Amino acid sequence: MSKRDLVVIGAGPAGMAAAAMAADLGLTVAVLDEQPRAGGQIYRDVDRVPKGRGRILGKDYTDGASLTAGLRHDRIDHVAGAVVWAIEDGFCISYTKDGRGAQVTAERIVLATGALERPMPIPGWTLPGVMTAGAGQILLKQSGILARNAVLVGSGPLLYLLAAQMVRAGTPPLAMVETQTRRDLIGAARHLGGALRGWRYLLKGLGLLAEITRARVPRYTGAQNLRIEGTDRAKAVTFSARGTSHRIACNTVFLHHGVVPNTQAARSVGVVHDWDAGQACFAPRLDQWGGNSVAGLFIVGDGAGIGGARAAELAGRLAALKVAEELGRLSSAERDRKAEPIRSALYGELAARPFLDAAYPPCSETLLPADSTVICRCEEVTAGDIRHYAKLGCLGPNQTKAFGRAGMGPCQGRYCGLTVTALLADANGQTPDATGYYRIRPPLKPVTLGELASMEHVAPDAAE
Amino acid sequence: MKPVSPFLELDDTPRAEVTFDGAPLRLPEGANLAAALLAAGIDVFRNTPVSGAPRGPFCMMGACFDCLVEIDGVVRQACMIEVSPGLQIHRPHAQEADDVQA
Ligand SMILES: Cc1cc2nc3c(=O)[nH]c(=O)nc-3n(C[C@H](O)[C@H](O)[C@H](O)COP(=O)(O)OP(=O)(O)OC[C@H]3O[C@@H](n4cnc5c(N)ncnc54)[C@H](O)[C@@H]3O)c2cc1C
Ligand code: FES
């Protein structure tokens, strides 16, 4: 089994920045990521994207190449295509690559597993042709394919980004069906002070909106009663806005109302999580370096709380400084001196967040969906089923497993966990913290017997 | 008959011959398999074990498991595989779809 000072899980901006900084400070690092190339979600495939596509995706995307370049370092092994499925004390990390199991040990771990799309259960959301806006972006970045007749549904900056990219590519969306209301915007105004400090984000957002408007993409705001029609695939989106009902025929629907921390790996090792009311999701309880209830493990990037790519990168560097100090490569005074400018940049990056979170809140009708709506995609459990469990005395997500199969499919609750917590909390009149979340146990992703049998104790570089 | 694709492809990449449920397909070599199948006009990848409902890719990042296909007897996530020549891809049988490999 091979050994590293630091194993970084996730090669997005947070993980790449942490790895580069740690290697610069003399640590040996392995970076494991299940994707075939570095970049994470935002900079997906940035190293092999054709020129023309870079223009569609924008400079914020192509800038990611400076981070992937940082991984080409003598002391860094980037193990691509490595699906991490267990983290054990000590630390020993188990993963699968090319159908074979392998392990690596580490003094310290940086978890940088990023975000997931917030679940958006509406009638018809399981139909083929319905995808997340993030999926729409991945299709464009990684594969250069664009939906010709798409409707974008939900709210938030990422929805505008996808719409603007579709406009630039010559396939503008048929419509934007937006769920935020004017009241949300007025409510957000009290965070305007912070937003002005983060003025770059506001300007960017206004720029995207201008592109969408110039392309004459119809926009509906305050949309309610969202539904996707179709039997074998999505055929149309129906909704009401300002008292009028609408139906828009389409081939593809992209859903989005924010991203939430992907907490699977952190939960599997017992990191304590708290409900973050501002972002309406669970986030790990962290100190200023990304440290938490599990000694030696650090959590950075969107997996620590949604802050965006630049903030993720900065948090990655802070964790690397702390790891280097703990392993004796840096005095605590040097660590603090190096951390100071990073911390003040991070403060600036996060300034606009409270405004954005308040202006584009999650769509309320999907937080507590109607009884007939499927909420667990894997096992096809409905919101009504969960409410029924609550009536029978079910208090928390782990007890639902005694009543039915919610959260027991292959996605392990990634796209139903928050909904189950919200439904039970609402039905029982309890807080999300008191209600809790699914207990996550390894394996984090399904592993076959064949993969276990082939388990080699090899160095990550030998596994290339 | 080739299904009409709801997707536009920006690049023209060299193609690899594969089959989907026995029918020949020419997909861009090295491309993400789920994306390539979508671009080829295939939208139903599988039917669920519970109700038989049709499903296709949803997240494209390996998290939702809705893009499952069967290759060489193993059920895998199409969005985590790259296209290579000679792939024989099948819609998974309902009962096998619960037994997945990451
Ligand atoms: C689909 C999607 C698209 C997005 N697109 C944009 C965008 O275009 N612009 C923008 O500003 N923001 C975007 N975001 C928001 C995004 O989360 C952040 O901007 C940024 O990518 C966060 O960086 P990160 O390093 O924290 O995580 P990420 O960039 O998400 O990187 C996490 C990495 O961890 C890997 N990983 C996770 N679990 C495992 C495991 N068990 N084993 C191995 N590897 C694992 C993933 O493969 C991924 O590469 C997107 C989010 C999502 C979910
Ligand atoms: S599309 Fe979600 S796992 Fe492949």
Side-chain angles (χ1 to χ4, degrees):
Chain A
M1 198 178 325
S2 75
K3 195 166 168 51
R4 293 288 183 283
D5 293 325
L6 173 66
V7 165
V8 177
I9 304 174
M16 292 190 288
M21 182 100 173
D24 280 343
L25 294 168
L27 304 183
T28 57
V29 186
V31 183
L32 310 181
D33 195 296
E34 60 192 354
Q35 289 297 328
R37 278 164 295 278
Q41 304 310 347
I42 175 161
Y43 307 128
R44 183 74 87 98
D45 273 27
V46 67
D47 287 337
R48 73 162 189 178
V49 79
K51 272 230 160 52
R53 215 182 293 162
R55 183 189 55 79
I56 294 169
L57 289 163
K59 189 170 157 2
D60 277 348
Y61 170 75
T62 49
D63 278 353
S66 66
L67 281 168
T68 54
L71 287 187
R72 294 187 274 277
H73 190 295
D74 284 350
R75 278 186 290 274
I76 300 179
D77 291 307
H78 170 215
V79 190
V83 183
V84 172
W85 48 264
I87 302 167
E88 284 153 276
D89 280 357
F91 293 101
C92 175
I93 299 108
S94 304
Y95 62 95
T96 302
K97 180 181 160 73
D98 300 330
R100 305 176 78 91
Q103 292 183 318
V104 53
T105 62
E107 295 290 327
R108 296 289 183 277
I109 290 184
V110 167
L111 269 186
T113 55
L116 294 169
E117 292 266 355
R118 182 188 291 284
M120 195 166 165
I122 60 174
W125 76 308
T126 54
L127 286 167
V130 182
M131 283 184 265
T132 65
Q137 278 221 314
I138 291 170
L139 288 173
L140 173 57
K141 290 172 190 169
Q142 188 173 41
S143 310
I145 77 169
L146 283 144
R148 287 184 223 266
N149 294 299
V151 175
L152 273 51
V153 181
S155 72
L158 214 56
L159 206 64
Y160 297 136
L161 178 60
L162 177 61
Q165 289 168 337
M166 293 176 75
V167 166
R168 289 174 211 154
T171 52
L174 298 175
M176 309 276 297
V177 176
E178 301 175 37
T179 54
Q180 83 283 351
T181 62
R182 189 165 305 166
R183 191 168 336 129
D184 296 326
L185 194 62
I186 294 166
R190 70 197 156 89
H191 299 293
L192 213 52
L196 292 175
R197 263 185 288 121
W199 56 274
R200 275 190 208 86
Y201 283 100
L202 288 196
L203 272 191
K204 242 177 237 170
L206 292 175
L208 295 176
L209 273 175
E211 281 185 82
I212 296 163
T213 312
R214 230 179 294 127
R216 295 181 201 285
V217 176
R219 286 182 61 201
Y220 303 86
T221 55
Q224 289 177 312
N225 306 312
L226 307 169
R227 169 181 289 278
I228 298 160
E229 287 182 3
T231 43
D232 285 340
R233 67 170 342 281
K235 290 267 188 308
V237 175
T238 66
F239 60 96
S240 58
R242 289 169 208 237
T244 315
S245 304
H246 299 268
R247 181 181 186 279
I248 305 173
C250 60
N251 292 111
T252 307
V253 180
F254 290 120
L255 300 177
H256 174 82
H257 64 149
V259 295
V260 294
N262 174 2
T263 60
Q264 301 290 119
R267 286 182 184 279
S268 78
V269 290
V271 171
V272 175
H273 286 71
D274 298 307
W275 183 253
D276 176 340
Q279 297 200 325
C281 60
F282 285 104
R285 191 184 297 170
L286 301 176
D287 67 19
Q288 54 171 343
W289 306 100
N292 52 75
S293 53
V294 176
L297 181 126
F298 298 83
I299 305 177
V300 295
D302 272 3
I306 304 306
R310 287 279 302 138
E313 195 181 322
L314 296 163
R317 295 208 175 98
L318 289 176
L321 288 174
K322 175 74 169 138
V323 169
E325 178 264 314
E326 287 188 3
L327 298 183
R329 307 301 209 289
L330 210 60
S331 71
S332 56
E334 275 174 294
R335 176 199 69 190
D336 292 345
R337 189 180 51 77
K338 285 183 193 284
E340 214 218 68
I342 304 177
R343 242 183 250 296
S344 73
L346 184 58
Y347 176 74
E349 281 302 319
L350 295 176
R353 276 292 139 182
F355 175 80
L356 292 175
D357 292 338
Y360 300 102
C363 159
S364 54
E365 70 184 51
T366 75
L367 294 180
L368 296 171
D371 277 352
S372 58
T373 305
V374 168
I375 57 118
C376 165
R377 300 174 63 91
C378 296
E379 300 292 338
E380 298 178 67
V381 178
T382 64
D385 291 333
I386 303 290
R387 291 192 176 100
H388 181 63
Y389 304 163
K391 271 207 195 95
L392 297 176
C394 178
L395 291 172
N398 294 301
Q399 292 173 16
T400 60
K401 296 179 182 180
F403 298 90
R405 289 192 47 86
M408 290 167 74
C411 100
Q412 298 181 327
R414 286 172 173 86
Y415 288 108
C416 71
L418 286 175
T419 314
V420 169
T421 296
L423 285 167
L424 289 176
D426 180 63
N428 293 320
Q430 290 213 321
T431 62
D433 272 323
T435 306
Y437 192 82
Y438 288 130
R439 199 171 299 120
I440 306 297
R441 291 204 176 86
L444 295 170
K445 294 258 173 116
V447 196
T448 62
L449 282 177
E451 288 166 342
L452 285 178
S454 69
M455 194 85 151
E456 309 169 54
H457 299 270
V458 287
D461 37 342
E464 288 284 328
Chain B
M1 195 187 76
K2 192 174 180 294
V4 182
S5 168
F7 291 92
L8 167 79
E9 285 176 81
L10 291 177
D11 316 305
D12 198 12
T13 339
R15 302 275 145 162
E17 311 264 348
V18 305
T19 63
F20 187 77
D21 271 353
L25 277 181
R26 291 166 58 75
L27 302 182
E29 189 161 352
N32 181 285
L33 178 61
L37 288 173
L38 286 173
I42 289 165
D43 47 27
V44 179
F45 282 41
R46 67 177 187 118
N47 293 87
T48 60
V50 180
S51 72
R55 290 288 170 87
F58 175 70
C59 75
M60 289 302 293
M61 54 182 281
C64 76
F65 292 78
D66 266 329
C67 64
L68 296 176
V69 293
E70 188 194 305
I71 297 170
D72 294 333
V74 183
V75 178
R76 301 173 64 188
Q77 293 164 292
C79 74
M80 300 296 282
I81 301 177
E82 296 191 345
V83 173
S84 57
L87 282 185
Q88 297 188 359
I89 311 146
H90 297 274
R91 290 199 172 95
H93 297 296
Q95 59 275 33
E96 286 165 14
D98 257 357
D99 185 20
V100 240
Q101 176 179 310

